[in-house]
Short mmCIF file of all heavy atoms in Angstrom, two decimals:
data_model
loop_
_atom_site.label_atom_id
_atom_site.label_comp_id
_atom_site.label_asym_id
_atom_site.label_seq_id
_atom_site.Cartn_x
_atom_site.Cartn_y
_atom_site.Cartn_z
N SER A 343 26.00 -5.42 -9.08
CA SER A 343 24.53 -5.87 -8.91
C SER A 343 24.45 -7.17 -8.29
O SER A 343 23.49 -7.54 -7.52
CB SER A 343 23.83 -5.83 -10.30
OG SER A 343 24.40 -6.78 -11.17
N VAL A 344 25.45 -8.09 -8.60
CA VAL A 344 25.35 -9.35 -7.97
C VAL A 344 25.66 -9.27 -6.53
O VAL A 344 25.04 -9.97 -5.63
CB VAL A 344 26.45 -10.32 -8.68
CG1 VAL A 344 26.55 -11.68 -7.94
CG2 VAL A 344 26.18 -10.58 -10.15
N LEU A 345 26.58 -8.50 -6.17
CA LEU A 345 26.86 -8.24 -4.76
C LEU A 345 25.75 -7.66 -3.94
O LEU A 345 25.42 -8.05 -2.74
CB LEU A 345 28.07 -7.34 -4.54
CG LEU A 345 29.39 -7.79 -5.17
CD1 LEU A 345 30.53 -6.74 -4.93
CD2 LEU A 345 29.76 -9.11 -4.63
N GLU A 346 24.96 -6.83 -4.57
CA GLU A 346 23.76 -6.26 -3.90
C GLU A 346 22.73 -7.33 -3.58
O GLU A 346 22.11 -7.34 -2.60
CB GLU A 346 23.10 -5.17 -4.78
CG GLU A 346 24.08 -3.91 -4.89
CD GLU A 346 23.47 -2.93 -5.84
OE1 GLU A 346 22.41 -3.23 -6.51
OE2 GLU A 346 24.05 -1.75 -5.99
N VAL A 347 22.55 -8.28 -4.57
CA VAL A 347 21.64 -9.33 -4.39
C VAL A 347 22.04 -10.23 -3.24
O VAL A 347 21.26 -10.55 -2.36
CB VAL A 347 21.45 -10.22 -5.70
CG1 VAL A 347 20.63 -11.46 -5.40
CG2 VAL A 347 20.83 -9.38 -6.77
N VAL A 348 23.33 -10.59 -3.15
CA VAL A 348 23.82 -11.38 -2.10
C VAL A 348 23.69 -10.68 -0.71
O VAL A 348 23.41 -11.39 0.23
CB VAL A 348 25.31 -11.78 -2.36
CG1 VAL A 348 25.95 -12.58 -1.23
CG2 VAL A 348 25.42 -12.53 -3.67
N GLU A 349 23.88 -9.41 -0.77
CA GLU A 349 23.71 -8.69 0.56
C GLU A 349 22.34 -8.82 1.05
O GLU A 349 22.00 -8.97 2.26
CB GLU A 349 24.09 -7.17 0.27
CG GLU A 349 24.08 -6.44 1.61
CD GLU A 349 24.54 -4.94 1.41
OE1 GLU A 349 24.79 -4.56 0.19
OE2 GLU A 349 24.59 -4.18 2.48
N ASP A 350 21.29 -8.72 0.17
CA ASP A 350 19.89 -8.83 0.52
C ASP A 350 19.62 -10.33 1.12
O ASP A 350 18.95 -10.51 2.02
CB ASP A 350 19.02 -8.54 -0.61
CG ASP A 350 18.89 -7.02 -0.89
OD1 ASP A 350 19.19 -6.30 -0.06
OD2 ASP A 350 18.55 -6.64 -2.10
N MET A 351 20.25 -11.18 0.41
CA MET A 351 20.14 -12.69 0.86
C MET A 351 20.65 -12.85 2.25
O MET A 351 20.14 -13.66 3.03
CB MET A 351 20.74 -13.61 -0.15
CG MET A 351 20.08 -13.64 -1.43
SD MET A 351 20.97 -14.70 -2.63
CE MET A 351 21.10 -16.33 -1.70
N GLN A 352 21.76 -12.15 2.57
CA GLN A 352 22.24 -12.26 3.96
C GLN A 352 21.22 -11.72 4.92
O GLN A 352 21.14 -12.36 6.01
CB GLN A 352 23.59 -11.45 4.07
CG GLN A 352 24.77 -12.02 3.42
CD GLN A 352 26.04 -11.34 3.56
OE1 GLN A 352 26.02 -10.12 3.34
NE2 GLN A 352 27.06 -11.92 4.01
N THR A 353 20.53 -10.72 4.59
CA THR A 353 19.50 -10.17 5.53
C THR A 353 18.28 -11.02 5.61
O THR A 353 17.66 -11.16 6.66
CB THR A 353 19.23 -8.71 5.11
OG1 THR A 353 20.41 -7.94 5.00
CG2 THR A 353 18.29 -8.00 6.22
N TYR A 354 17.90 -11.51 4.50
CA TYR A 354 16.63 -12.26 4.33
C TYR A 354 16.95 -13.58 3.74
O TYR A 354 16.79 -13.77 2.56
CB TYR A 354 15.56 -11.57 3.46
CG TYR A 354 15.51 -10.06 3.79
CD1 TYR A 354 15.87 -9.07 2.98
CD2 TYR A 354 14.95 -9.65 5.06
CE1 TYR A 354 15.72 -7.74 3.28
CE2 TYR A 354 14.77 -8.35 5.35
CZ TYR A 354 15.16 -7.33 4.44
OH TYR A 354 15.03 -6.04 4.77
N PRO A 355 17.28 -14.57 4.50
CA PRO A 355 17.73 -15.95 3.95
C PRO A 355 16.44 -16.58 3.36
O PRO A 355 15.26 -16.34 3.69
CB PRO A 355 18.13 -16.69 5.23
CG PRO A 355 17.59 -15.97 6.41
CD PRO A 355 17.41 -14.46 6.03
N PRO A 356 16.74 -17.58 2.47
CA PRO A 356 15.62 -18.15 1.61
C PRO A 356 14.62 -18.99 2.54
O PRO A 356 13.63 -19.31 2.11
CB PRO A 356 16.41 -19.10 0.69
CG PRO A 356 17.76 -18.53 0.57
CD PRO A 356 18.00 -17.95 1.89
N ASN A 357 15.05 -19.42 3.76
CA ASN A 357 14.14 -20.19 4.61
C ASN A 357 13.07 -19.35 5.19
O ASN A 357 12.17 -19.85 5.87
CB ASN A 357 14.94 -20.90 5.67
CG ASN A 357 15.57 -20.03 6.61
OD1 ASN A 357 15.87 -18.86 6.29
ND2 ASN A 357 15.84 -20.55 7.81
N THR A 358 13.13 -18.01 4.99
CA THR A 358 12.11 -17.12 5.46
C THR A 358 10.80 -17.16 4.56
O THR A 358 10.95 -17.24 3.38
CB THR A 358 12.65 -15.61 5.35
OG1 THR A 358 13.86 -15.55 6.03
CG2 THR A 358 11.58 -14.71 6.00
N THR A 359 9.67 -17.29 5.17
CA THR A 359 8.46 -17.32 4.46
C THR A 359 8.21 -16.07 3.67
O THR A 359 8.79 -15.05 4.13
CB THR A 359 7.25 -17.74 5.35
OG1 THR A 359 7.21 -16.65 6.28
CG2 THR A 359 7.38 -19.07 6.02
N LYS A 360 7.52 -16.11 2.63
CA LYS A 360 7.35 -14.94 1.67
C LYS A 360 6.73 -13.78 2.56
O LYS A 360 7.19 -12.57 2.45
CB LYS A 360 6.54 -15.25 0.52
CG LYS A 360 6.60 -14.28 -0.53
CD LYS A 360 8.01 -14.15 -1.15
CE LYS A 360 8.17 -13.12 -2.24
NZ LYS A 360 9.48 -12.98 -2.78
N TYR A 361 5.62 -14.03 3.27
CA TYR A 361 4.96 -12.84 3.93
C TYR A 361 5.96 -12.37 5.12
O TYR A 361 5.85 -11.18 5.46
CB TYR A 361 3.69 -13.26 4.46
CG TYR A 361 3.68 -14.35 5.54
CD1 TYR A 361 3.77 -14.10 6.85
CD2 TYR A 361 3.37 -15.66 5.16
CE1 TYR A 361 3.81 -15.04 7.86
CE2 TYR A 361 3.30 -16.74 6.12
CZ TYR A 361 3.54 -16.35 7.45
OH TYR A 361 3.55 -17.41 8.42
N GLN A 362 6.73 -13.26 5.66
CA GLN A 362 7.69 -12.83 6.72
C GLN A 362 8.77 -11.98 6.08
O GLN A 362 9.12 -10.96 6.64
CB GLN A 362 8.28 -14.08 7.34
CG GLN A 362 9.32 -13.81 8.43
CD GLN A 362 9.92 -15.07 8.93
OE1 GLN A 362 9.63 -16.18 8.43
NE2 GLN A 362 10.83 -15.03 9.94
N LEU A 363 9.27 -12.36 4.93
CA LEU A 363 10.18 -11.58 4.16
C LEU A 363 9.66 -10.17 3.80
O LEU A 363 10.35 -9.14 3.99
CB LEU A 363 10.66 -12.32 2.94
CG LEU A 363 11.53 -11.57 2.00
CD1 LEU A 363 12.90 -11.10 2.63
CD2 LEU A 363 11.84 -12.34 0.68
N ASN A 364 8.41 -10.12 3.34
CA ASN A 364 7.81 -8.87 3.03
C ASN A 364 7.65 -7.95 4.15
O ASN A 364 7.91 -6.74 4.16
CB ASN A 364 6.39 -9.12 2.37
CG ASN A 364 6.44 -9.88 1.07
OD1 ASN A 364 7.50 -9.71 0.37
ND2 ASN A 364 5.43 -10.51 0.72
N PHE A 365 7.31 -8.51 5.29
CA PHE A 365 7.19 -7.73 6.52
C PHE A 365 8.53 -7.16 6.94
O PHE A 365 8.64 -6.01 7.35
CB PHE A 365 6.59 -8.65 7.64
CG PHE A 365 6.32 -7.88 8.87
CD1 PHE A 365 5.01 -7.22 9.08
CD2 PHE A 365 7.14 -7.78 9.92
CE1 PHE A 365 4.71 -6.52 10.24
CE2 PHE A 365 6.86 -7.16 11.18
CZ PHE A 365 5.63 -6.53 11.28
N GLN A 366 9.55 -7.95 6.90
CA GLN A 366 10.95 -7.47 7.29
C GLN A 366 11.37 -6.38 6.37
O GLN A 366 12.05 -5.47 6.76
CB GLN A 366 11.86 -8.67 7.30
CG GLN A 366 11.59 -9.75 8.37
CD GLN A 366 12.44 -10.95 8.14
OE1 GLN A 366 13.19 -11.13 7.16
NE2 GLN A 366 12.40 -11.84 9.16
N ILE A 367 11.15 -6.54 5.10
CA ILE A 367 11.49 -5.52 4.09
C ILE A 367 10.81 -4.19 4.42
O ILE A 367 11.41 -3.17 4.44
CB ILE A 367 11.14 -5.93 2.68
CG1 ILE A 367 12.11 -7.06 2.22
CG2 ILE A 367 11.29 -4.78 1.68
CD1 ILE A 367 11.73 -7.74 0.96
N LEU A 368 9.50 -4.28 4.69
CA LEU A 368 8.68 -3.06 5.04
C LEU A 368 9.30 -2.35 6.25
O LEU A 368 9.53 -1.12 6.25
CB LEU A 368 7.24 -3.52 5.31
CG LEU A 368 6.19 -2.40 5.65
CD1 LEU A 368 4.85 -2.79 5.07
CD2 LEU A 368 6.07 -2.23 7.12
N VAL A 369 9.67 -3.09 7.34
CA VAL A 369 10.10 -2.50 8.55
C VAL A 369 11.47 -1.93 8.33
O VAL A 369 11.72 -0.73 8.76
CB VAL A 369 10.06 -3.54 9.67
CG1 VAL A 369 10.81 -2.90 10.85
CG2 VAL A 369 8.68 -3.89 10.10
N LYS A 370 12.31 -2.61 7.58
CA LYS A 370 13.66 -2.20 7.43
C LYS A 370 13.75 -0.92 6.55
O LYS A 370 14.45 0.01 6.94
CB LYS A 370 14.48 -3.28 6.72
CG LYS A 370 15.91 -2.84 6.36
CD LYS A 370 16.53 -3.93 5.47
CE LYS A 370 17.95 -3.54 5.11
NZ LYS A 370 18.71 -4.52 4.27
N GLU A 371 12.91 -0.78 5.51
CA GLU A 371 12.92 0.36 4.68
C GLU A 371 12.46 1.56 5.45
O GLU A 371 12.94 2.71 5.34
CB GLU A 371 12.21 0.19 3.38
CG GLU A 371 12.72 -0.82 2.48
CD GLU A 371 12.27 -0.78 1.11
OE1 GLU A 371 11.41 0.10 0.83
OE2 GLU A 371 12.66 -1.71 0.30
N VAL A 372 11.39 1.36 6.28
CA VAL A 372 10.82 2.53 6.97
C VAL A 372 11.90 3.02 8.01
O VAL A 372 12.13 4.26 8.15
CB VAL A 372 9.54 2.20 7.70
CG1 VAL A 372 9.09 3.22 8.80
CG2 VAL A 372 8.42 1.98 6.67
N LEU A 373 12.51 2.14 8.74
CA LEU A 373 13.50 2.56 9.70
C LEU A 373 14.73 3.19 9.00
O LEU A 373 15.37 4.06 9.60
CB LEU A 373 13.97 1.39 10.56
CG LEU A 373 12.86 0.81 11.55
CD1 LEU A 373 13.49 -0.36 12.39
CD2 LEU A 373 12.41 1.86 12.54
N LYS A 374 14.98 2.73 7.86
CA LYS A 374 16.12 3.33 7.07
C LYS A 374 15.84 4.76 6.68
O LYS A 374 16.60 5.60 6.71
CB LYS A 374 16.49 2.44 5.90
CG LYS A 374 17.56 2.99 4.93
CD LYS A 374 17.81 2.12 3.82
CE LYS A 374 18.82 2.68 2.87
NZ LYS A 374 18.97 1.89 1.69
N ASN A 375 14.55 4.94 6.14
CA ASN A 375 14.18 6.25 5.52
C ASN A 375 13.53 7.23 6.41
O ASN A 375 13.52 8.44 6.15
CB ASN A 375 13.28 5.96 4.33
CG ASN A 375 13.97 5.18 3.21
OD1 ASN A 375 15.13 5.22 3.02
ND2 ASN A 375 13.14 4.22 2.61
N HIS A 376 13.00 6.68 7.55
CA HIS A 376 12.27 7.53 8.52
C HIS A 376 12.73 7.37 9.92
O HIS A 376 11.91 7.47 10.83
CB HIS A 376 10.76 7.33 8.36
CG HIS A 376 10.23 7.44 6.98
ND1 HIS A 376 9.96 8.66 6.39
CD2 HIS A 376 9.86 6.42 6.14
CE1 HIS A 376 9.43 8.38 5.12
NE2 HIS A 376 9.47 7.06 4.92
N CYS A 377 14.02 7.07 10.09
CA CYS A 377 14.56 6.85 11.45
C CYS A 377 14.27 8.06 12.37
O CYS A 377 14.14 7.85 13.54
CB CYS A 377 16.05 6.56 11.31
SG CYS A 377 16.84 6.16 12.89
N HIS A 378 14.32 9.22 11.87
CA HIS A 378 14.14 10.40 12.73
C HIS A 378 12.80 10.60 13.27
O HIS A 378 12.53 11.52 14.12
CB HIS A 378 14.60 11.65 11.88
CG HIS A 378 13.63 11.94 10.77
ND1 HIS A 378 13.54 11.15 9.68
CD2 HIS A 378 12.68 12.97 10.55
CE1 HIS A 378 12.63 11.61 8.80
NE2 HIS A 378 12.06 12.78 9.34
N LEU A 379 11.81 9.80 12.85
CA LEU A 379 10.44 9.93 13.31
C LEU A 379 10.15 9.00 14.48
O LEU A 379 9.03 9.06 14.98
CB LEU A 379 9.51 9.64 12.12
CG LEU A 379 9.62 10.60 10.92
CD1 LEU A 379 8.69 10.16 9.85
CD2 LEU A 379 9.35 11.98 11.32
N PHE A 380 11.07 8.22 14.88
CA PHE A 380 10.88 7.22 16.01
C PHE A 380 11.79 7.56 17.09
O PHE A 380 12.95 7.95 16.90
CB PHE A 380 11.15 5.83 15.50
CG PHE A 380 10.22 5.28 14.49
CD1 PHE A 380 10.41 5.55 13.10
CD2 PHE A 380 9.05 4.59 14.81
CE1 PHE A 380 9.64 5.07 12.10
CE2 PHE A 380 8.20 4.09 13.78
CZ PHE A 380 8.46 4.38 12.41
N THR A 381 11.24 7.38 18.34
CA THR A 381 12.16 7.53 19.57
C THR A 381 12.96 6.31 19.72
O THR A 381 12.76 5.31 19.13
CB THR A 381 11.24 7.68 20.77
OG1 THR A 381 10.50 6.47 20.99
CG2 THR A 381 10.29 8.91 20.61
N ASP A 382 13.97 6.50 20.59
CA ASP A 382 14.86 5.29 20.84
C ASP A 382 14.10 4.07 21.41
O ASP A 382 14.33 2.96 21.08
CB ASP A 382 15.99 5.69 21.81
CG ASP A 382 16.95 6.70 21.28
OD1 ASP A 382 17.01 6.76 19.99
OD2 ASP A 382 17.68 7.41 22.00
N GLU A 383 13.09 4.36 22.22
CA GLU A 383 12.26 3.35 22.80
C GLU A 383 11.50 2.64 21.74
O GLU A 383 11.38 1.42 21.72
CB GLU A 383 11.33 3.85 23.87
CG GLU A 383 12.02 4.27 25.18
CD GLU A 383 12.62 3.21 25.93
OE1 GLU A 383 11.99 2.08 25.90
OE2 GLU A 383 13.59 3.38 26.64
N GLU A 384 10.93 3.35 20.80
CA GLU A 384 10.18 2.77 19.69
C GLU A 384 11.07 1.93 18.82
O GLU A 384 10.74 0.78 18.38
CB GLU A 384 9.44 3.88 18.94
CG GLU A 384 8.32 4.55 19.64
CD GLU A 384 7.87 5.80 18.97
OE1 GLU A 384 8.52 6.27 18.08
OE2 GLU A 384 6.72 6.30 19.42
N LYS A 385 12.25 2.46 18.47
CA LYS A 385 13.12 1.73 17.70
C LYS A 385 13.63 0.45 18.35
O LYS A 385 13.76 -0.62 17.67
CB LYS A 385 14.28 2.56 17.26
CG LYS A 385 14.01 3.64 16.13
CD LYS A 385 15.17 4.49 15.70
CE LYS A 385 15.50 5.47 16.76
NZ LYS A 385 16.52 6.45 16.19
N LEU A 386 13.86 0.46 19.64
CA LEU A 386 14.22 -0.63 20.44
C LEU A 386 13.12 -1.72 20.36
O LEU A 386 13.43 -2.93 20.23
CB LEU A 386 14.47 -0.18 21.86
CG LEU A 386 14.89 -1.33 22.88
CD1 LEU A 386 16.23 -1.99 22.38
CD2 LEU A 386 15.05 -0.77 24.27
N PHE A 387 11.88 -1.24 20.56
CA PHE A 387 10.73 -2.16 20.51
C PHE A 387 10.67 -2.84 19.15
O PHE A 387 10.48 -4.07 19.00
CB PHE A 387 9.38 -1.39 20.84
CG PHE A 387 8.26 -2.37 20.86
CD1 PHE A 387 7.95 -3.08 22.09
CD2 PHE A 387 7.54 -2.54 19.73
CE1 PHE A 387 6.76 -3.81 22.12
CE2 PHE A 387 6.38 -3.35 19.78
CZ PHE A 387 6.00 -4.04 20.93
N ILE A 388 10.84 -2.07 18.08
CA ILE A 388 10.80 -2.69 16.73
C ILE A 388 11.86 -3.64 16.47
O ILE A 388 11.81 -4.66 15.87
CB ILE A 388 10.68 -1.58 15.67
CG1 ILE A 388 9.41 -0.75 15.87
CG2 ILE A 388 10.81 -2.14 14.24
CD1 ILE A 388 9.36 0.46 14.92
#
Side-chain angles (χ1 to χ4, degrees):
S343 63
V344 175
L345 299 180
E346 291 175 357
V347 172
V348 175
E349 185 177 3
D350 286 339
M351 289 175 57
Q352 287 183 308
T353 307
Y354 312 112
N357 62 336
T358 306
T359 59
K360 195 63 178 178
Y361 64 84
Q362 182 184 0
L363 172 63
N364 294 336
F365 187 86
Q366 291 172 353
I367 291 174
L368 182 145
V369 172
K370 178 184 176 182
E371 290 196 8
V372 169
L373 290 181
K374 176 183 176 182
N375 298 326
H376 306 282
C377 183
H378 63 292
L379 301 177
F380 295 86
T381 65
D382 292 339
E383 292 288 332
E384 290 170 347
K385 286 183 281 190
L386 179 61
F387 183 85
I388 295 174

